[in-house]
PDB file of all heavy atoms in Angstrom:
ATOM      1  N   GLY K 109      -2.988  -6.551   6.138  1.00 90.00           N
ATOM      2  CA  GLY K 109      -2.735  -6.231   7.530  1.00 90.00           C
ATOM      3  C   GLY K 109      -3.988  -5.810   8.270  1.00 90.00           C
ATOM      4  O   GLY K 109      -5.061  -5.638   7.680  1.00 90.00           O
ATOM      5  N   ILE K 110      -3.838  -5.679   9.591  1.00 93.00           N
ATOM      6  CA  ILE K 110      -4.920  -5.220  10.451  1.00 93.00           C
ATOM      7  C   ILE K 110      -4.470  -3.980  11.213  1.00 93.00           C
ATOM      8  O   ILE K 110      -3.270  -3.721  11.355  1.00 93.00           O
ATOM      9  CB  ILE K 110      -5.370  -6.307  11.460  1.00 93.00           C
ATOM     10  CG1 ILE K 110      -4.201  -6.691  12.399  1.00 93.00           C
ATOM     11  CG2 ILE K 110      -5.916  -7.511  10.746  1.00 93.00           C
ATOM     12  CD1 ILE K 110      -4.623  -7.592  13.548  1.00 93.00           C
ATOM     13  N   ASN K 111      -5.429  -3.219  11.673  1.00 91.00           N
ATOM     14  CA  ASN K 111      -5.149  -2.044  12.482  1.00 91.00           C
ATOM     15  C   ASN K 111      -6.256  -1.918  13.544  1.00 91.00           C
ATOM     16  O   ASN K 111      -7.440  -1.853  13.190  1.00 91.00           O
ATOM     17  CB  ASN K 111      -5.109  -0.789  11.615  1.00 91.00           C
ATOM     18  CG  ASN K 111      -4.765   0.453  12.405  1.00 91.00           C
ATOM     19  OD1 ASN K 111      -3.927   0.416  13.298  1.00 91.00           O
ATOM     20  ND2 ASN K 111      -5.431   1.548  12.090  1.00 91.00           N
ATOM     21  N   PRO K 112      -5.885  -1.902  14.822  1.00 91.00           N
ATOM     22  CA  PRO K 112      -4.536  -1.961  15.382  1.00 91.00           C
ATOM     23  C   PRO K 112      -3.963  -3.381  15.327  1.00 91.00           C
ATOM     24  O   PRO K 112      -4.678  -4.332  15.025  1.00 91.00           O
ATOM     25  CB  PRO K 112      -4.746  -1.509  16.826  1.00 91.00           C
ATOM     26  CG  PRO K 112      -6.141  -1.950  17.140  1.00 91.00           C
ATOM     27  CD  PRO K 112      -6.921  -1.782  15.879  1.00 91.00           C
ATOM     28  N   GLN K 113      -2.679  -3.500  15.658  1.00 91.00           N
ATOM     29  CA  GLN K 113      -2.020  -4.790  15.670  1.00 91.00           C
ATOM     30  C   GLN K 113      -0.991  -4.828  16.793  1.00 91.00           C
ATOM     31  O   GLN K 113      -0.709  -3.824  17.415  1.00 91.00           O
ATOM     32  CB  GLN K 113      -1.337  -5.043  14.325  1.00 91.00           C
ATOM     33  CG  GLN K 113      -0.274  -4.021  13.972  1.00 91.00           C
ATOM     34  CD  GLN K 113       0.324  -4.257  12.600  1.00 91.00           C
ATOM     35  OE1 GLN K 113       0.305  -5.371  12.082  1.00 91.00           O
ATOM     36  NE2 GLN K 113       0.869  -3.211  11.986  1.00 91.00           N
ATOM     37  N   GLY K 114      -0.438  -6.023  17.035  1.00 92.00           N
ATOM     38  CA  GLY K 114       0.579  -6.167  18.073  1.00 92.00           C
ATOM     39  C   GLY K 114      -0.022  -6.270  19.459  1.00 92.00           C
ATOM     40  O   GLY K 114      -1.004  -6.982  19.678  1.00 92.00           O
ATOM     41  N   VAL K 115       0.556  -5.533  20.397  1.00 93.00           N
ATOM     42  CA  VAL K 115       0.097  -5.518  21.787  1.00 93.00           C
ATOM     43  C   VAL K 115      -0.654  -4.214  22.029  1.00 93.00           C
ATOM     44  O   VAL K 115      -0.098  -3.127  21.861  1.00 93.00           O
ATOM     45  CB  VAL K 115       1.281  -5.643  22.771  1.00 93.00           C
ATOM     46  CG1 VAL K 115       0.764  -5.719  24.199  1.00 93.00           C
ATOM     47  CG2 VAL K 115       2.127  -6.869  22.448  1.00 93.00           C
ATOM     48  N   LEU K 116      -1.912  -4.312  22.425  1.00 94.00           N
ATOM     49  CA  LEU K 116      -2.774  -3.139  22.583  1.00 94.00           C
ATOM     50  C   LEU K 116      -2.914  -2.781  24.053  1.00 94.00           C
ATOM     51  O   LEU K 116      -3.090  -3.655  24.900  1.00 94.00           O
ATOM     52  CB  LEU K 116      -4.153  -3.417  21.990  1.00 94.00           C
ATOM     53  CG  LEU K 116      -4.196  -4.037  20.595  1.00 94.00           C
ATOM     54  CD1 LEU K 116      -5.625  -4.186  20.126  1.00 94.00           C
ATOM     55  CD2 LEU K 116      -3.385  -3.209  19.609  1.00 94.00           C
ATOM     56  N   SER K 117      -2.881  -1.490  24.339  1.00 93.00           N
ATOM     57  CA  SER K 117      -2.986  -1.020  25.724  1.00 93.00           C
ATOM     58  C   SER K 117      -4.421  -0.659  26.091  1.00 93.00           C
ATOM     59  O   SER K 117      -4.659  -0.085  27.148  1.00 93.00           O
ATOM     60  CB  SER K 117      -2.081   0.195  25.943  1.00 93.00           C
ATOM     61  OG  SER K 117      -2.466   1.256  25.083  1.00 93.00           O
ATOM     62  N   TYR K 118      -5.362  -0.942  25.217  1.00 93.00           N
ATOM     63  CA  TYR K 118      -6.772  -0.685  25.487  1.00 93.00           C
ATOM     64  C   TYR K 118      -7.584  -1.885  25.016  1.00 93.00           C
ATOM     65  O   TYR K 118      -7.066  -2.772  24.318  1.00 93.00           O
ATOM     66  CB  TYR K 118      -7.242   0.587  24.779  1.00 93.00           C
ATOM     67  CG  TYR K 118      -7.173   0.501  23.268  1.00 93.00           C
ATOM     68  CD1 TYR K 118      -8.291   0.166  22.520  1.00 93.00           C
ATOM     69  CD2 TYR K 118      -5.981   0.757  22.595  1.00 93.00           C
ATOM     70  CE1 TYR K 118      -8.233   0.068  21.139  1.00 93.00           C
ATOM     71  CE2 TYR K 118      -5.907   0.666  21.219  1.00 93.00           C
ATOM     72  CZ  TYR K 118      -7.039   0.333  20.491  1.00 93.00           C
ATOM     73  OH  TYR K 118      -6.963   0.232  19.129  1.00 93.00           O
ATOM     74  N   GLN K 119      -8.843  -1.929  25.388  1.00 95.00           N
ATOM     75  CA  GLN K 119      -9.699  -3.067  25.062  1.00 95.00           C
ATOM     76  C   GLN K 119     -10.570  -2.712  23.854  1.00 95.00           C
ATOM     77  O   GLN K 119     -11.567  -2.005  23.987  1.00 95.00           O
ATOM     78  CB  GLN K 119     -10.559  -3.443  26.274  1.00 95.00           C
ATOM     79  CG  GLN K 119      -9.710  -3.892  27.463  1.00 95.00           C
ATOM     80  CD  GLN K 119     -10.536  -4.221  28.692  1.00 95.00           C
ATOM     81  OE1 GLN K 119     -11.605  -3.667  28.902  1.00 95.00           O
ATOM     82  NE2 GLN K 119     -10.017  -5.117  29.526  1.00 95.00           N
ATOM     83  N   PRO K 120     -10.197  -3.174  22.661  1.00 95.00           N
ATOM     84  CA  PRO K 120     -10.898  -2.758  21.445  1.00 95.00           C
ATOM     85  C   PRO K 120     -12.247  -3.458  21.298  1.00 95.00           C
ATOM     86  O   PRO K 120     -12.436  -4.591  21.741  1.00 95.00           O
ATOM     87  CB  PRO K 120      -9.943  -3.190  20.335  1.00 95.00           C
ATOM     88  CG  PRO K 120      -9.257  -4.401  20.903  1.00 95.00           C
ATOM     89  CD  PRO K 120      -9.096  -4.115  22.364  1.00 95.00           C
ATOM     90  N   SER K 121     -13.165  -2.774  20.637  1.00 95.00           N
ATOM     91  CA  SER K 121     -14.459  -3.376  20.300  1.00 95.00           C
ATOM     92  C   SER K 121     -14.568  -3.635  18.805  1.00 95.00           C
ATOM     93  O   SER K 121     -15.583  -4.151  18.338  1.00 95.00           O
ATOM     94  CB  SER K 121     -15.609  -2.463  20.749  1.00 95.00           C
ATOM     95  OG  SER K 121     -15.481  -1.180  20.159  1.00 95.00           O
ATOM     96  N   SER K 122     -13.521  -3.266  18.054  1.00 96.00           N
ATOM     97  CA  SER K 122     -13.488  -3.530  16.624  1.00 96.00           C
ATOM     98  C   SER K 122     -12.046  -3.513  16.147  1.00 96.00           C
ATOM     99  O   SER K 122     -11.143  -3.064  16.866  1.00 96.00           O
ATOM    100  CB  SER K 122     -14.307  -2.485  15.855  1.00 96.00           C
ATOM    101  OG  SER K 122     -13.704  -1.211  15.958  1.00 96.00           O
ATOM    102  N   ILE K 123     -11.856  -3.988  14.925  1.00 96.00           N
ATOM    103  CA  ILE K 123     -10.529  -3.988  14.317  1.00 96.00           C
ATOM    104  C   ILE K 123     -10.701  -3.803  12.818  1.00 96.00           C
ATOM    105  O   ILE K 123     -11.709  -4.243  12.245  1.00 96.00           O
ATOM    106  CB  ILE K 123      -9.780  -5.301  14.648  1.00 96.00           C
ATOM    107  CG1 ILE K 123      -8.283  -5.134  14.491  1.00 96.00           C
ATOM    108  CG2 ILE K 123     -10.295  -6.474  13.811  1.00 96.00           C
ATOM    109  CD1 ILE K 123      -7.485  -6.210  15.178  1.00 96.00           C
TER     110      ILE K 123
END
Side-chain angles (χ1 to χ4, degrees):
I110 61 171
N111 182 39
Q113 61 183 336
V115 184
L116 312 183
S117 61
Y118 64 97
Q119 297 178 331
S121 57
S122 66
I123 201 163

